[in-house]
Amino acid sequence: RGSSSSRSEAKSGRTDLIFLIRFRHCCLLRNQRCLLAYLYDRLLRIRALRWEYGSVLPNTIQFHMSAEEVEWFNRYKKSLATYMRSVGGEEGLDLTQDIKPPKSLYIEVRCLRDYGEFEIDDGTTVLLKKNSQHFLPRWKCEQLIRQGVLEHILS
């Protein structure tokens, strides 16, 4: 039977249906809580992707996201960029750098694919070619390591 017919029967005196209506309502509320918890968990994971991969997600990850999730990611990315520009003086402060405290300021990296010229703060440019190894400032390399351009060589 439909829910409206059982509701009208319960109002007209069928008190045995009140338990069923309450049970159905509790089931609907539980399902709603489960769905909201699932969606919130997905948003937390998408937010973590911004910190892990940077502002551009790989296509393999975007393929598994809905249009609304991609839109939420883009809005979060813009909001984070606006905040980072507003703190730390004229150039802003990149909060995505040094997510883990560095043990040393310079690291040895190997280039996994051709990238081209890469400029360091002191004005020096380094040519990043596949299989070349370099000793570079950690904070300048972290984004490229997350993007898969460079690989940290652990000695």
Side-chain angles (χ1 to χ4, degrees):
R1 295 181 195 179
S3 62
S4 62
S5 64
S6 41
R7 221 178 338 204
S8 63
E9 288 178 7
K11 285 180 182 177
S12 66
R14 295 255 340 248
T15 56
D16 58 326
L17 292 177
I18 292 176
F19 172 75
L20 291 175
I21 292 171
R22 285 184 179 161
F23 178 73
R24 181 179 179 275
H25 182 69
C26 288
C27 290
L28 289 173
L29 290 177
R30 179 190 177 278
N31 289 346
Q32 182 183 27
R33 285 192 313 271
C34 290
L35 283 171
L36 289 174
Y38 171 76
L39 291 173
Y40 182 69
D41 182 62
R42 280 194 61 100
L43 285 183
L44 291 179
R45 290 172 189 251
I46 292 169
R47 183 177 70 182
L49 289 174
R50 167 58 182 93
W51 292 88
E52 184 178 343
Y53 289 100
S55 60
V56 179
L57 290 178
N59 289 334
T60 55
I61 292 177
Q62 276 193 4
F63 177 76
H64 295 288
M65 293 170 59
S66 69
E68 291 82 9
E69 289 171 334
V70 172
E71 180 185 335
W72 188 90
F73 176 81
N74 289 330
R75 281 188 284 142
Y76 179 73
K77 174 177 70 174
K78 288 176 185 172
S79 176
L80 182 62
T82 302
Y83 176 74
M84 288 190 300
R85 278 192 306 271
S86 71
V87 296
E90 294 177 16
E91 295 180 17
L93 177 65
D94 190 357
L95 298 174
T96 61
Q97 297 297 324
D98 291 328
I99 293 174
K100 295 176 185 170
K103 292 181 181 171
S104 63
L105 295 179
Y106 284 80
I107 58 172
E108 192 172 358
V109 292
R110 178 183 298 120
C111 194
L112 300 175
R113 58 185 161 130
D114 289 336
Y115 183 77
E117 290 190 353
F118 181 67
E119 186 174 345
I120 305 174
D121 278 351
D122 62 2
T124 309
T125 58
V126 177
L127 183 61
L128 298 178
K129 293 183 76 171
K130 187 174 182 173
N131 295 325
S132 62
Q133 292 186 6
H134 307 278
F135 199 64
L136 299 172
R138 172 184 295 275
W139 68 275
K140 289 292 280 187
C141 300
E142 279 194 345
Q143 193 74 22
L144 293 176
I145 291 171
R146 283 194 295 258
Q147 291 174 2
V149 175
L150 297 176
E151 171 187 44
H152 184 188
I153 300 173
L154 301 170
S155 49

